[in-house]
Amino acid sequence: MRVSAKICGVSTPEAIDASIRGCASHVGFVFFPPSPRNVGFDRVAALAVRVPDGVHRVGVFVDPDDALLDTAIAAGRLDVLQLHKTDPGRAAAIRSRTGRELWGTVAVKRREDLNAAQSWRGAADRILYDARTPDDATLPGGMGMRFDWKLLQGFAHPLPWLLSGGLDAGNVATAIGISGALMVDVSSGVESAPGVKDVDKIAAFCKAVEQC
């Protein structure tokens, strides 16, 4: 099966266009002010119209309230909601209320962390496995951290899933080979500086995924 890619934290027309040229299946818009990738509603509205049919718009949130979700969904024409640090019960309510595809995040450092995936059964459509960040970290992801991909080997995933955390063009093929991922998510690995997407790195990442 072909592996698909999500380019996350896009905030410029150039990054959108590079993702589309690279055949990304998903582009991610971050709605979290502490993040250098945060997009305002006016900016995301202008970016969303550049995304063609067949490429999914993902809104990335950290325990959002309903008002933020509703405004972001409308402005960004969001197809998918990716939630960090959100209780599965709350996520299930969001999924039911909005009618959007929902991704729950599982932060991983040790094998036992994967057990949290079971709590997303019935609450999410897909699980995103990401590296666990330090407890005092400002951001829940997008910090270039990765976990041991071998932890995913032999694990009985309760839902479809994707791999995130510290991926780039140089290691994504290895990550896919070890973990068995059929979808991968990249943010800092295609940047020249925090929040600044590099179109050449996006192209290289997409090419590496396409060759898997």
Side-chain angles (χ1 to χ4, degrees), residues 62 82-88 103-120 126-135 137 139-143 145-149 151-152 155 161-165:
V62 178
Q82 177 182 319
L83 304 183
H84 292 258
K85 296 188 175 180
T86 305
D87 179 85
W103 296 356
T105 303
V106 172
V108 182
K109 184 176 183 180
R110 299 176 296 272
R111 174 76 177 196
E112 52 266 32
D113 292 332
L114 298 177
N115 295 333
Q118 301 300 329
S119 65
W120 287 100
R126 190 179 295 271
I127 294 169
L128 183 147
Y129 296 109
D130 199 359
R132 181 180 295 279
T133 57
D135 292 339
L139 305 178
M143 298 175 64
M145 298 179 64
R146 69 185 189 188
F147 63 94
D148 184 355
W149 303 314
L151 296 178
L152 294 169
F155 182 68
W161 58 280
L162 68 157
L163 177 65
S164 186

